[in-house]
Every structure is written in C-alpha cells, then in structure tokens.
C-alpha cells in the first residue's frame, strides 16, 4: 500500500507564491514519475507538471516560467513551487505518483490541497 500526503495549499494574493509538497510512503520499491494535477470548479482535472525519477520535467503551457517542479528522492517527496500566481490558478491541486511496490506497479493519488488566488 502506497500513500501520498500533500501540504502547502492556502489563500494567496495575485502575484504571490506558494510551495506544495507531496510525500509518498508505504511499500515503495521504486518511485518513478511524480506529477501535479489541478481541478478548478466545473472543469476537468488537468496536468500541471511532471518530473521523472532522474529529473526531466514537463510543464503545461499555462504554468511555464511560473511554476517549478522538483523532487528529493531521499525522502520520496515532490514539490511544486508556484510563483506569480493568478486567479485562474485557483484549484484543488492533486499529487500523482507512478512506481513499483514490492508486489506490483502502483498509480496513486493524494487527497488534494486547495489553492485559492484572490485579493
């Protein structure tokens, strides 16, 4: 069983910054890609950023140049640094991880953390 726990969401003014964290725990043999998705009210969940185990990253066009994804493999944690936040970044942000446990591959989601950008 693998679990993801997210933290770091909150209320921030436009132009502000937040850092989200996502820590994986449980029966982890290999933690491969980690990603952040978001879902705004009335909209579908969308990919924000992905980072592979060895560092290559991908960003959605809407966040390029403002968000940075990183990870610390020693503590099975991914981060999303969000700068120059805009009201349209308001959403529930979800962490996702792909990897292998000692028994089978896994594809797990965190519980989500709310990010609200408003003055």
């Amino acid at each position: 069983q693998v679990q993801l726990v997210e933290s770091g969401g909150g209320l921030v003014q436009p132009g502000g910054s937040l850092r989200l964290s996502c820590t994986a725990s449980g029966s982890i043999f290999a933690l491969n890609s980690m990603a952040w998705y978001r879902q705004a009210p009335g909209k579908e969940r969308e990919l924000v950023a992905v980072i592979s185990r060895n560092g290559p990253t991908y960003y959605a066009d809407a966040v390029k140049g403002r968000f940075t994804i990183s990870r610390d493999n020693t503590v099975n944690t991914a981060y999303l640094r969000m700068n120059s936040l805009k009201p349209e970044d308001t959403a529930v942000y979800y962490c996702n991880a792909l990897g292998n446990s000692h028994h089978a591959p896994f594809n797990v989601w965190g519980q989500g953390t709310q990010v609200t950008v408003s003055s």
Side-chain angles (χ1 to χ4, degrees):
Q1 193 85 2
V2 177
Q3 301 85 34
L4 300 180
V5 176
E6 301 138 336
S7 62
L11 173 65
V12 63
Q13 292 187 342
S17 298
L18 283 175
R19 190 180 81 155
L20 307 182
S21 298
C22 170
T23 299
S25 63
S27 181
I28 299 171
F29 177 74
L31 190 57
N32 299 326
S33 65
M34 298 187 76
W36 289 96
Y37 289 74
R38 67 186 181 187
Q39 188 167 19
K43 295 188 176 182
E44 293 188 355
R45 191 172 297 189
E46 62 177 1
L47 177 64
V48 175
V50 182
I51 185 166
S52 67
R53 176 169 181 80
N54 296 319
T57 59
Y58 165 84
Y59 296 93
D61 287 344
V63 306
K64 278 182 183 176
R66 299 188 298 123
F67 290 12
T68 302
I69 189 170
S70 60
R71 63 190 285 174
D72 183 343
N73 292 329
T74 65
V75 291
N76 289 337
T77 299
Y79 306 96
L80 185 67
R81 176 68 179 181
M82 305 185 292
N83 295 329
S84 302
L85 283 161
K86 304 175 182 180
E88 51 263 45
D89 294 317
T90 295
V92 178
Y93 283 70
Y94 296 91
C95 181
N96 172 264
L98 302 178
N100 293 280
S101 72
H102 294 281
H103 307 289
F106 62 80
N107 179 349
V108 295
W109 293 87
Q111 80 285 0
T113 185
Q114 177 70 47
V115 171
T116 302
V117 185
S118 174
S119 55

